[in-house]
PDB file of all heavy atoms in Angstrom:
ATOM      1  N   ASN M 156     229.124 126.063 112.650  1.00 97.00           N
ATOM      2  CA  ASN M 156     230.486 125.615 112.396  1.00 97.00           C
ATOM      3  C   ASN M 156     230.798 124.489 113.378  1.00 97.00           C
ATOM      4  O   ASN M 156     230.693 124.674 114.591  1.00 97.00           O
ATOM      5  CB  ASN M 156     231.443 126.786 112.582  1.00 97.00           C
ATOM      6  CG  ASN M 156     232.839 126.487 112.104  1.00 97.00           C
ATOM      7  OD1 ASN M 156     233.500 125.603 112.629  1.00 97.00           O
ATOM      8  ND2 ASN M 156     233.304 127.243 111.132  1.00 97.00           N
ATOM      9  N   ILE M 157     231.159 123.316 112.861  1.00 96.00           N
ATOM     10  CA  ILE M 157     231.358 122.148 113.720  1.00 96.00           C
ATOM     11  C   ILE M 157     232.792 121.627 113.599  1.00 96.00           C
ATOM     12  O   ILE M 157     233.417 121.728 112.538  1.00 96.00           O
ATOM     13  CB  ILE M 157     230.356 121.022 113.393  1.00 96.00           C
ATOM     14  CG1 ILE M 157     230.462 120.575 111.936  1.00 96.00           C
ATOM     15  CG2 ILE M 157     228.935 121.466 113.713  1.00 96.00           C
ATOM     16  CD1 ILE M 157     229.579 119.380 111.569  1.00 96.00           C
ATOM     17  N   GLY M 158     233.287 121.075 114.694  1.00 93.00           N
ATOM     18  CA  GLY M 158     234.626 120.508 114.714  1.00 93.00           C
ATOM     19  C   GLY M 158     234.776 119.531 115.859  1.00 93.00           C
ATOM     20  O   GLY M 158     233.870 119.375 116.691  1.00 93.00           O
ATOM     21  N   LYS M 159     235.906 118.890 115.932  1.00 94.00           N
ATOM     22  CA  LYS M 159     236.121 117.885 116.982  1.00 94.00           C
ATOM     23  C   LYS M 159     236.610 118.538 118.265  1.00 94.00           C
ATOM     24  O   LYS M 159     237.160 119.644 118.255  1.00 94.00           O
ATOM     25  CB  LYS M 159     237.140 116.848 116.508  1.00 94.00           C
ATOM     26  CG  LYS M 159     238.588 117.306 116.518  1.00 94.00           C
ATOM     27  CD  LYS M 159     239.520 116.173 116.141  1.00 94.00           C
ATOM     28  CE  LYS M 159     240.992 116.575 116.318  1.00 94.00           C
ATOM     29  NZ  LYS M 159     241.375 116.775 117.724  1.00 94.00           N
ATOM     30  N   ASN M 160     236.395 117.847 119.379  1.00 93.00           N
ATOM     31  CA  ASN M 160     236.985 118.289 120.635  1.00 93.00           C
ATOM     32  C   ASN M 160     238.502 118.200 120.565  1.00 93.00           C
ATOM     33  O   ASN M 160     239.063 117.334 119.869  1.00 93.00           O
ATOM     34  CB  ASN M 160     236.489 117.440 121.801  1.00 93.00           C
ATOM     35  CG  ASN M 160     235.138 117.886 122.314  1.00 93.00           C
ATOM     36  OD1 ASN M 160     234.122 117.268 122.031  1.00 93.00           O
ATOM     37  ND2 ASN M 160     235.120 118.981 123.067  1.00 93.00           N
ATOM     38  N   THR M 161     239.174 119.069 121.287  1.00 91.00           N
ATOM     39  CA  THR M 161     240.638 119.083 121.284  1.00 91.00           C
ATOM     40  C   THR M 161     241.211 117.751 121.735  1.00 91.00           C
ATOM     41  O   THR M 161     242.222 117.284 121.201  1.00 91.00           O
ATOM     42  CB  THR M 161     241.151 120.214 122.200  1.00 91.00           C
ATOM     43  OG1 THR M 161     240.609 121.466 121.754  1.00 91.00           O
ATOM     44  CG2 THR M 161     242.666 120.291 122.172  1.00 91.00           C
ATOM     45  N   CYS M 162     240.553 117.110 122.701  1.00 92.00           N
ATOM     46  CA  CYS M 162     241.065 115.848 123.237  1.00 92.00           C
ATOM     47  C   CYS M 162     240.714 114.644 122.353  1.00 92.00           C
ATOM     48  O   CYS M 162     241.168 113.533 122.618  1.00 92.00           O
ATOM     49  CB  CYS M 162     240.542 115.628 124.651  1.00 92.00           C
ATOM     50  SG  CYS M 162     238.736 115.516 124.756  1.00 92.00           S
ATOM     51  N   THR M 163     239.922 114.848 121.329  1.00 91.00           N
ATOM     52  CA  THR M 163     239.547 113.747 120.438  1.00 91.00           C
ATOM     53  C   THR M 163     240.695 113.442 119.484  1.00 91.00           C
ATOM     54  O   THR M 163     241.206 114.352 118.821  1.00 91.00           O
ATOM     55  CB  THR M 163     238.294 114.105 119.622  1.00 91.00           C
ATOM     56  OG1 THR M 163     237.208 114.358 120.518  1.00 91.00           O
ATOM     57  CG2 THR M 163     237.920 112.975 118.669  1.00 91.00           C
ATOM     58  N   PRO M 164     241.126 112.195 119.383  1.00 90.00           N
ATOM     59  CA  PRO M 164     242.201 111.855 118.436  1.00 90.00           C
ATOM     60  C   PRO M 164     241.767 112.164 117.000  1.00 90.00           C
ATOM     61  O   PRO M 164     240.579 112.066 116.675  1.00 90.00           O
ATOM     62  CB  PRO M 164     242.395 110.349 118.632  1.00 90.00           C
ATOM     63  CG  PRO M 164     241.782 110.042 119.951  1.00 90.00           C
ATOM     64  CD  PRO M 164     240.676 111.026 120.153  1.00 90.00           C
ATOM     65  N   PRO M 165     242.692 112.533 116.134  1.00 88.00           N
ATOM     66  CA  PRO M 165     242.341 112.865 114.744  1.00 88.00           C
ATOM     67  C   PRO M 165     241.555 111.774 114.036  1.00 88.00           C
ATOM     68  O   PRO M 165     240.666 112.059 113.239  1.00 88.00           O
ATOM     69  CB  PRO M 165     243.712 113.083 114.087  1.00 88.00           C
ATOM     70  CG  PRO M 165     244.609 113.486 115.200  1.00 88.00           C
ATOM     71  CD  PRO M 165     244.131 112.731 116.408  1.00 88.00           C
ATOM     72  N   GLU M 166     241.866 110.509 114.349  1.00 88.00           N
ATOM     73  CA  GLU M 166     241.170 109.415 113.667  1.00 88.00           C
ATOM     74  C   GLU M 166     239.705 109.298 114.098  1.00 88.00           C
ATOM     75  O   GLU M 166     238.918 108.589 113.463  1.00 88.00           O
ATOM     76  CB  GLU M 166     241.887 108.086 113.906  1.00 88.00           C
ATOM     77  CG  GLU M 166     241.997 107.648 115.351  1.00 88.00           C
ATOM     78  CD  GLU M 166     243.261 108.193 116.047  1.00 88.00           C
ATOM     79  OE1 GLU M 166     243.879 109.128 115.499  1.00 88.00           O
ATOM     80  OE2 GLU M 166     243.601 107.655 117.117  1.00 88.00           O
ATOM     81  N   GLU M 167     239.305 110.013 115.175  1.00 92.00           N
ATOM     82  CA  GLU M 167     237.916 109.989 115.627  1.00 92.00           C
ATOM     83  C   GLU M 167     237.194 111.299 115.340  1.00 92.00           C
ATOM     84  O   GLU M 167     236.072 111.521 115.811  1.00 92.00           O
ATOM     85  CB  GLU M 167     237.861 109.666 117.121  1.00 92.00           C
ATOM     86  CG  GLU M 167     238.406 108.277 117.466  1.00 92.00           C
ATOM     87  CD  GLU M 167     238.412 108.006 118.963  1.00 92.00           C
ATOM     88  OE1 GLU M 167     237.672 108.721 119.690  1.00 92.00           O
ATOM     89  OE2 GLU M 167     239.146 107.103 119.408  1.00 92.00           O
ATOM     90  N   ALA M 168     237.814 112.177 114.552  1.00 92.00           N
ATOM     91  CA  ALA M 168     237.206 113.472 114.247  1.00 92.00           C
ATOM     92  C   ALA M 168     235.874 113.304 113.526  1.00 92.00           C
ATOM     93  O   ALA M 168     234.920 114.057 113.760  1.00 92.00           O
ATOM     94  CB  ALA M 168     238.164 114.309 113.399  1.00 92.00           C
ATOM     95  N   ALA M 169     235.780 112.315 112.643  1.00 94.00           N
ATOM     96  CA  ALA M 169     234.541 112.100 111.894  1.00 94.00           C
ATOM     97  C   ALA M 169     233.376 111.806 112.824  1.00 94.00           C
ATOM     98  O   ALA M 169     232.246 112.257 112.591  1.00 94.00           O
ATOM     99  CB  ALA M 169     234.732 110.962 110.891  1.00 94.00           C
ATOM    100  N   ALA M 170     233.622 111.044 113.890  1.00 95.00           N
ATOM    101  CA  ALA M 170     232.547 110.701 114.831  1.00 95.00           C
ATOM    102  C   ALA M 170     232.050 111.940 115.561  1.00 95.00           C
ATOM    103  O   ALA M 170     230.836 112.108 115.769  1.00 95.00           O
ATOM    104  CB  ALA M 170     233.047 109.655 115.824  1.00 95.00           C
TER     105      ALA M 170
END
Side-chain angles (χ1 to χ4, degrees):
N156 190 297
I157 58 175
K159 76 175 187 68
N160 278 103
T161 303
C162 61
T163 300
E166 60 271 15
E167 297 177 19

